[in-house]
Amino acid sequence: MSELLVCLFSPLPNHNASNFIPDWPTIVGNIALLPLRTRTRGPAYALPPLPASTAAIDVDPDSESYDPLDEVLSLFRANTFFRNFEIKGPADRLLIYGILFVSECLGKIRSTMGNREAEKALLNAALDQFSIPGDASFPLNQAFEAPKDRQDAETLRQ
């Protein structure tokens, strides 16, 4: 997974998270929990749904429904090729965490899988116990703080 974050040459500057807000709603460890466009209950605030005329893949970054996952997906390819990434705040750590998650998801899917089989593999991966900052198996512990207690760890896993 971490080999996706390393490249021998990185001529362009890295792309940082655009939603740097000085007053974070919630921070776990040193990762910001920013609002998401979702109908699932969880620790993050819910953003308004997309207008009916907008496809989920074509969300304008200036839209009130643009969320961190949209940003992770739009910057995934550009940021996976950088050897160094300047972390400017908790939103950048969320971006890195999201890139690690997407890399892990892509590793679970095989080109021989059908849509149903790939979806099942991803759902099973989401239900598995996965490492978070502070765990010995988390690949980037040097850039992340561990959650301060068990409750924060569970919040981060959600």
Side-chain angles (χ1 to χ4, degrees), residues 12-82:
L12 300 172
N14 60 333
H15 300 277
N16 293 83
S18 65
N19 50 4
F20 183 82
I21 304 167
D23 297 321
W24 301 103
T26 304
I27 295 180
V28 176
N30 57 356
I31 300 174
L33 294 183
L34 298 175
L36 296 172
R37 188 179 61 250
T38 182
R39 291 183 303 240
T40 304
R41 288 189 349 203
Y45 300 102
L47 288 174
L50 288 173
S53 61
T54 305
I57 199 160
D58 295 326
V59 181
D60 180 20
D62 294 328
S63 167
E64 68 178 353
S65 296
Y66 190 75
D67 72 3
L69 184 57
D70 294 320
E71 190 144 345
V72 165
L73 294 174
S74 69
L75 298 177
F76 177 78
R77 178 177 267 174
N79 280 330
T80 55
F81 295 114
F82 290 103

Side-chain angles (χ1 to χ4, degrees), residues 55-126:
I57 199 160
D58 295 326
V59 181
D60 180 20
D62 294 328
S63 167
E64 68 178 353
S65 296
Y66 190 75
D67 72 3
L69 184 57
D70 294 320
E71 190 144 345
V72 165
L73 294 174
S74 69
L75 298 177
F76 177 78
R77 178 177 267 174
N79 280 330
T80 55
F81 295 114
F82 290 103
R83 169 170 279 176
N84 299 316
F85 186 94
E86 180 183 356
I87 299 172
K88 295 182 178 177
D92 285 338
R93 285 186 183 85
L94 181 63
L95 181 65
I96 292 168
Y97 194 86
I99 288 170
L100 285 172
F101 177 75
V102 170
S103 297
E104 185 72 23
C105 289
L106 290 173
K108 302 280 184 199
I109 299 172
R110 303 285 174 243
S111 60
T112 58
M113 291 180 169
N115 286 350
R116 284 286 232 193
E117 194 177 2
E119 184 178 334
K120 186 176 179 181
L122 292 177
L123 287 173
N124 287 337

